[in-house]
Amino acid sequence: MTTYAVDVLGQTHLTVEGRVVEEDERTPIKGVSVSVKENDRSGSVITGSQGSFRIRAHQGQTLVVSHIGYLTQEIQLERGQTNLEITLIKDFKMLSEVIVTGALGIKRQSRELGTSAQSVSNEELNLGKVVNPLLALSSKVAGLRINATDLTTGKTDPGIQIRLRGTRSMNRDKNDPLYVVDGVPLPDISRINPNDIQDITVLKGANAAALYGSEGVNGAIMITTKSGKSQRGQINFSNSTTFSNVFLLPPAQTTFGQGQNGVYSPVTSESWGDRFNGEVRDFGLPINGVQPTKVYAAPSKDNRLAFFDTGITTQNDLSFSGGDEKGTYFVSLQDVRLKGVIPGDKSSRTGARFNGSRRFNKLNTSFNLNYVFFKNNTTSDGPWLSVYTQPANIDYKEARSWEDPSSPNHPLNWYNPTSGTRNPIFMADNNRNTSDQHTLNSKLEFNYEFADWFDATYRTGLYFQSEPGRVTNRKLVSNVASRNINGSVNDTHRGFTRFNNDLILNFHKDFGDFSTKLLLGQNVRMDDTKQINVSAANLLFEDIFNQGSRTGELTGGSTLTKYRSLATYGEFTAGYRNYLFLTLTGRNDQVSVLDPNNNSYFSPGISSSFVFTDAIEALRGNRILNYGRIYSSYNKTGNVTLDPYRLNLAYSQTAGFPFGSLVGFTPSLSEPNLLIKPEFVKSFEVGTQLGFFDNRLRTDIAYAYSDSDGQIFNAGISSATGFNSTIVNAGQVINKTIEVMIGGTAIRKNDVTLEFGVNFSYTDTKAKNLYAGDEFNIFRQAYAIKGLQYPTLRMTDFKREGGKIVLDKDGNVIPSEDEEVLGTMVPPYLLGFNTRFSYKSFTLGFQIDSRLGSWMYSEVIPRMYTAGTHPETVKYDRQPFIMPNSMVRLADGSIVENTDVYSKGDRAWWDAYGKIQTTTAAKGDYLKLRELYIGYDLPEKWLSGQKMIKKASLGFVGNNLFIIRHSSNKIGDPEALYNQTDGYNSFRQIPSSRSMGFNVNLTF
C-alpha cells in the first residue's frame, strides 16, 4: 500500500493506494469494498480486476476492507506505510458464498449468478491420481456424465465422451462442452497435468456460458491453473505408482473344447468339440515331422487373463513456486510412464508449464506456457477378438514364445490358420500404431486499470498440436493362403493451430444502493488443420516399412481446413443492496462454415439472482437457514454443428468415368443447402441455493430445460434432383434436467473432520419433430424415435406369445417381425457420493458413482455364441432339449404349448439364438467405488531434525475397486463405450481395468 500525505489544518490527509489479495493463493480479489470507518459519508471504493484500489483518508483513521465470503479486515493508517498488501481470510461460515470462475475466466461471486455453477478443488480432482483431468471429474459434478471410450489407438490413452445435462445436437460429435484454461478456449484439455490445476468450475448449459455463444451451448469447463504466491519459494515433489488389471470379462464356458459336431479337431478354433477330459491330444499340424500335443483340459483359472499384462502407471511431478508483491511464478515438470494391459502397449507423457505474472503500477501482465510431448505405441483391435473366440485350453503364456520358428505358437505353425483366430500375442506384436504428439499452449494477457471503475484486458492464446504417426503390419509369407499377411505401412501427420484473441472492456460503478457492471468484448478465433497420409498395402520385405518397397500404387492424400469466427459480446449486471441482481447478455457471431449471406446470428440472454436471507429482515442472522437465494435465467443461443466446407459442392475422381483411362470428376450426391441456419437452443433454468446451521449443510437444487430446434443433419431426397440427400434444418431435441447438490461438514472439531458431498441428477432427453417420419437410425441399434428418450435401443427379439418364446415346428427360434424398443441408452439417473474423513495425521477419502435407467448391448456376445465359448451353449450339455416355458408354431400357423418339440442345441441352433439381438442386451445400472485414498501426513516432529523437507505424506490410492451391476449384465462395464457411441460395447473393445497403488508427496 502506498500513501501520499498532505497536512491541512493539523490533519494529515492521505491518498491511499493498495491491493487486496487472498490469503492462501495470494491472488487478487475483485469487487472488495474499501471504506473509512470514521467517515462513512466519504463512501467506499471497489477493487478492480487486479485487486487494486485508491481512497482518501486521514492519518490515524481505519480502513474497513470487506468482501462476501471473507473475514472483514480493519487497518489503521499510519504515515509512511509503503508496499503493503491487504490480505483477506476466507470465512468458513460463509462457504455458500463461493467465488467461481465465470465466462471469460472472470472471477465472480456466486450470489450474482442467475445460473448453476459447481466448482471442484485441486484436492478433490486429484483424489484418484488419474492422468487425465477429465476422467478425474467423473461423478463429482451434478449433471455431468463422463465416459472413457476405447479407440483404435486408445488402449493407453482412452478417448473421452463428456456430456452436460444431456444431448442437444443429433450430430454425435458436437455435444462436448467448451474447455477454457485461464480464460482461453482450447479444443482439448486431456494433456493438461491435473496437478497443475488450481480448481475447475463447471458452467452448466448455454445460460451459464452465454458469453461464449455457440461454443458454450453445451456448457463450459473452466480451468484455473496454479500461480505462485507472494512469499518464500516452495518446491513440491510427488510420485504416484499404480498397478492395473482387467476385470469384468464376459463369462466363458470351460466344459467343451475345440472341434465340430461334438468331435475333437486339432486344427479347429471353435469350441464345438467333445467334453474336456484331461487327455494328451494332438494340437495343430506336424512341425518338421513332429506332432505337437496339448492336454485337453481347461485350466482352473480363466485362461484369457494370461493374455493380458499388469498395467503400470508412474507419475512424477516437480513444481517450483514463489513471488513477491509485484509478481509471481509457478513452474512444473511432469513425467508419466504407462505400460498397458495388452502386451507391447505403452505410452509416455512429458510436460512442462510456466505461469508468471508481473504488476507495473496500473499495468498487470500474465503469461502461461505449457508444452507436452506424448508418445503412444499400441496395437490394433484384433487380439482380444481372437482371445474370446478361442477354446479354453489355449495357453497364452506359452503363446508369447511365437518368435521361435519351431514352436507351435509361431504364426506359421499356429494350430488354426484362420486370420481372425491367429495367435493374439503375435497379432499384438505384428500390428502397431505409433504416434508422437507435440502440444504447445500459451497465453499472454495485459490488463490496464484506467480508473478504479474501468479497466481493459487484452488476451491472446495460441494452441498448437503436431502429431506424426505410423501404422505398420508386418508381412508374413506362407504356402497356406489364409496365413499370409500383406505387409502394410501408413504414415500420417496431423497439424492443428488455433489462435484466439479477446479484447475486453470492464466498467463497474456504484450509485448508492445500486451497483452496476458492464462488460464489452470482441473475440477472433482462427483454426487451421492439415492432415496427410501416405499408405502402401503390399510391402516386399518383412522388416522394411517403407512405401518405396512395395508392389502396386500408393494411396493417401491430404486435407486442409480453415475455420474463422468473429464475435462481439456484452454483459450488463445491475445489483441492488448486494442481494438482488439482474444480468443481460448478448453475443453476435459470424462464422465461416455458413454461407456468407447467412452467417451472422445473435444470441440474447437474461438472468437474475435474489439472496432472500439478506433481503428479509426476519431471516438475517438465522442460525438454521443462514443463507438462501433463488436464481433463474433464459437464453437463446445459436449452435452451428457444420464442419468446414460442408456447404461446398465437392467433386471427386471416379474410375472409368467418362470412359477408359480418361480423367473425369463427378459431384457429391449430397446437395449443399446454402440456406442452412444455426440450430437455436432455447434454455431456461431456475434454482435455489441454501445454507443451514452456519453452513455446515449446503444444498443447490436446479431445474433446467432446453429446446434445440432446427437440427442440422442429412435427409434423403428424390434422386430425380441429381442428389440422394441434402442438409436440412429440421428436428428437435428437448432436455429436462433436475439437479440436487448437497454438501456439508458433519464433524469439525479438535483433530477430527468429516466432510461429505452428494450430487444427483435426472435428465430426460427426447427427440421431437424429425424431418421425415418418426425415426432415424443413429448407429447400429441406436435410434432417434419421436417422443421417446434419446437415444433409444431397438432390437430384434424372439417371437413371443404371452411372453413365451415361440419356436418353429423343428424347435428353432423365430425372430420377431418387429423390433423391440428396450429403452434409452444413456443413463437418466446419475448419483455421486464423496466423503473425506481426517483424524490427526490420517485421511480417508472415497468417491462412489452410480448410474441407473439405461440399456447397453455388446457385439462380443453373438460371436461367443457362434464360437461355442458362451456359457449358454453348454446349458443343456450340447444335447437336444425341450426349451422350458416355450411354445411352438405349427404348420397351420397355430401356436400351442411346447411339450414334445426338441431343439437341437448344436452349433447352428445356438448361432441362430445368439443372432437374436436382445440376447446381447442388458440393463446398464451400476454402482462402483470409483476412487479410494488413504493417506498419512508425517508428524512435524519427525521432520524437525533437518531443514530440507517441510512436509511429507504417504498414501494408498485405488480406482474402480469394485462394481455392483444389474443381474442381467454379463457383458462388462456399462461405463466403457466404443468411440463416441452410447451404450455400445464393440466386438473389438477390451475389458475395463481396476487399479491400486501408492502416492508420495514432499514439500521443500
Side-chain angles (χ1 to χ4, degrees), residues 388-586:
Y388 68 74
T389 54
Q390 295 200 56
N393 62 314
I394 302 298
D395 189 334
Y396 294 109
K397 290 183 178 179
E398 291 182 358
R400 295 172 183 259
S401 64
W402 66 265
E403 293 181 276
D404 181 357
S406 63
S407 167
N409 301 298
H410 190 277
L412 295 180
N413 303 328
W414 188 249
Y415 78 101
N416 181 263
T418 307
S419 60
T421 53
R422 289 190 174 102
N423 181 340
I425 308 295
F426 163 74
M427 295 174 73
D429 290 343
N430 193 64
N431 193 322
R432 305 304 300 175
N433 301 288
T434 60
S435 64
D436 295 339
Q437 186 186 81
H438 305 264
T439 304
L440 179 68
N441 174 39
S442 64
K443 182 202 80 168
L444 179 62
E445 181 176 307
F446 299 96
N447 175 272
Y448 191 82
E449 298 183 36
F450 292 92
D452 59 0
W453 54 270
F454 169 50
D455 63 85
T457 299
Y458 174 80
R459 179 189 296 146
T460 184
L462 176 66
Y463 179 92
F464 170 78
Q465 193 170 76
S466 175
E467 185 173 6
R470 166 169 274 209
V471 181
T472 58
N473 196 13
R474 189 184 302 272
K475 183 181 179 67
L476 180 67
V477 179
S478 172
N479 56 6
V480 179
S482 57
R483 294 190 190 273
N484 275 322
I485 299 176
N486 293 325
S488 63
V489 59
N490 185 19
D491 283 303
T492 63
H493 184 273
R494 179 184 179 273
F496 176 82
T497 304
R498 169 175 291 183
F499 174 77
N500 194 88
N501 188 84
D502 278 288
L503 177 61
I504 305 169
L505 306 180
N506 270 299
F507 305 87
H508 48 91
K509 194 72 175 177
D510 291 352
F511 302 94
D513 291 336
F514 293 89
S515 63
T516 61
K517 296 178 183 179
L518 176 63
L519 179 150
L520 299 173
Q522 186 179 60
N523 173 264
V524 176
R525 173 183 151 189
M526 297 186 288
D527 291 357
D528 293 274
T529 306
K530 183 177 183 180
Q531 298 185 80
I532 301 173
N533 75 295
V534 181
S535 177
N538 292 283
L539 299 182
L540 297 175
F541 304 102
E542 291 185 4
D543 297 320
I544 299 179
F545 297 104
N546 189 303
Q547 288 86 345
S549 174
R550 74 181 194 283
T551 60
E553 296 296 324
L554 288 174
T555 58
S558 61
T559 303
L560 287 80
T561 60
K562 294 180 182 292
Y563 174 88
R564 301 290 185 266
S565 69
L566 174 65
T568 303
Y569 50 83
E571 180 183 77
F572 175 73
T573 300
Y576 177 70
R577 292 192 174 182
N578 205 35
Y579 61 69
L580 180 62
F581 301 90
L582 178 68
T583 299
L584 303 175
T585 60

Side-chain angles (χ1 to χ4, degrees), residues 760-765 789 824 826-830 851-854:
F760 165 82
S761 67
Y762 169 75
T763 301
D764 181 13
T765 302
Q789 286 192 320
T824 181
V826 171
Y829 299 94
L830 306 179
R851 303 183 189 182
L852 305 171
S854 68

Side-chain angles (χ1 to χ4, degrees), residues 43 140 142 214 252 454 502 644 760 830 842 895 947 986:
K140 293 182 173 71
S214 289
F454 169 50
D502 278 288
F760 165 82
L830 306 179
F842 288 94
I895 298 176
K947 296 182 178 180
S986 169

Side-chain angles (χ1 to χ4, degrees), residues 141-376:
V141 177
L144 178 66
R145 177 173 59 89
I146 297 175
N147 291 85
T149 66
D150 185 13
L151 306 171
T152 300
T153 57
K155 308 302 186 298
T156 59
D157 181 35
I160 300 295
Q161 185 195 79
I162 181 168
R163 297 290 181 265
L164 259 172
R165 292 179 172 172
T167 298
R168 267 148 295 279
S169 176
M170 293 183 190
N171 185 332
R172 290 185 298 144
D173 297 328
K174 304 296 181 181
N175 286 286
D176 288 350
L178 175 68
Y179 306 119
V180 182
V181 179
D182 296 325
V184 179
L186 300 182
D188 179 57
I189 60 170
S190 60
R191 297 291 180 251
I192 291 180
N193 179 2
N195 296 285
D196 287 349
I197 296 175
Q198 181 62 41
D199 60 67
I200 295 180
T201 298
V202 180
L203 303 180
K204 302 178 182 180
N207 303 50
L211 287 177
Y212 289 114
S214 289
E215 291 185 304
V217 74
N218 296 307
I221 308 294
M222 310 295 297
I223 294 178
T224 302
T225 60
K226 292 180 179 179
S227 58
K229 301 178 182 180
S230 305
Q231 59 185 32
R232 178 180 177 272
Q234 181 172 286
I235 302 175
N236 289 283
F237 171 78
S238 69
N239 168 270
S240 297
T241 302
T242 57
F243 305 89
S244 57
N245 295 102
V246 298
F247 74 136
L248 302 183
L249 277 68
Q253 63 90 7
T254 57
T255 306
F256 292 88
Q258 63 196 93
Q260 289 289 346
N261 301 315
V263 179
Y264 174 78
S265 169
V267 295
T268 298
S269 64
E270 292 185 346
S271 299
W272 292 104
D274 60 347
R275 188 183 298 272
F276 286 124
N277 57 16
E279 294 178 354
V280 176
R281 294 185 176 181
D282 294 347
F283 183 72
L285 296 174
I287 303 173
N288 299 323
V290 179
Q291 175 64 56
T293 59
K294 181 181 288 292
V295 175
Y296 189 59
S300 58
K301 186 177 180 181
D302 191 341
N303 71 316
R304 299 171 300 174
L305 293 173
F307 165 72
F308 296 100
D309 287 341
T310 295
I312 304 174
T313 301
T314 304
Q315 300 183 59
N316 289 296
D317 289 273
L318 181 66
S319 66
F320 309 84
S321 62
D324 54 27
E325 296 83 359
K326 295 292 185 180
T328 63
Y329 67 89
F330 173 80
V331 180
S332 74
L333 302 171
Q334 184 189 51
D335 184 75
V336 179
R337 304 285 160 165
L338 195 153
K339 174 179 175 288
V341 295
I342 289 184
D345 282 10
K346 59 183 178 180
S347 70
S348 63
R349 189 174 87 184
T350 304
R353 171 177 290 275
F354 174 77
N355 291 354
S357 67
R358 195 69 182 170
R359 185 160 58 94
F360 305 92
N361 295 323
K362 293 180 179 293
L363 176 64
N364 300 277
T365 66
S366 63
F367 176 72
N368 294 0
L369 180 66
N370 185 213
Y371 169 75
V372 178
F373 174 57
F374 180 78
K375 193 176 184 68
N376 202 28

Side-chain angles (χ1 to χ4, degrees), residues 721-736:
T721 62
F723 300 95
N724 290 336
S725 64
T726 187
I727 307 172
V728 295
N729 280 118
Q732 187 178 18
V733 174
I734 302 292
N735 269 294
K736 300 175 184 178

Side-chain angles (χ1 to χ4, degrees), residues 571-605:
E571 180 183 77
F572 175 73
T573 300
Y576 177 70
R577 292 192 174 182
N578 205 35
Y579 61 69
L580 180 62
F581 301 90
L582 178 68
T583 299
L584 303 175
T585 60
R587 174 170 168 133
N588 192 82
D589 285 278
Q590 286 182 278
V591 294
S592 62
V593 294
L594 293 175
D595 183 75
N597 297 317
N598 201 34
N599 69 352
S600 179
Y601 54 95
F602 182 69
S603 302

Side-chain angles (χ1 to χ4, degrees), residues 94-109:
M94 297 292 288
L95 289 177
S96 294
E97 293 288 359
V98 295
I99 304 298
V100 300
T101 304
L104 306 176
I106 298 173
K107 298 290 185 181
R108 302 166 187 258
Q109 298 179 58

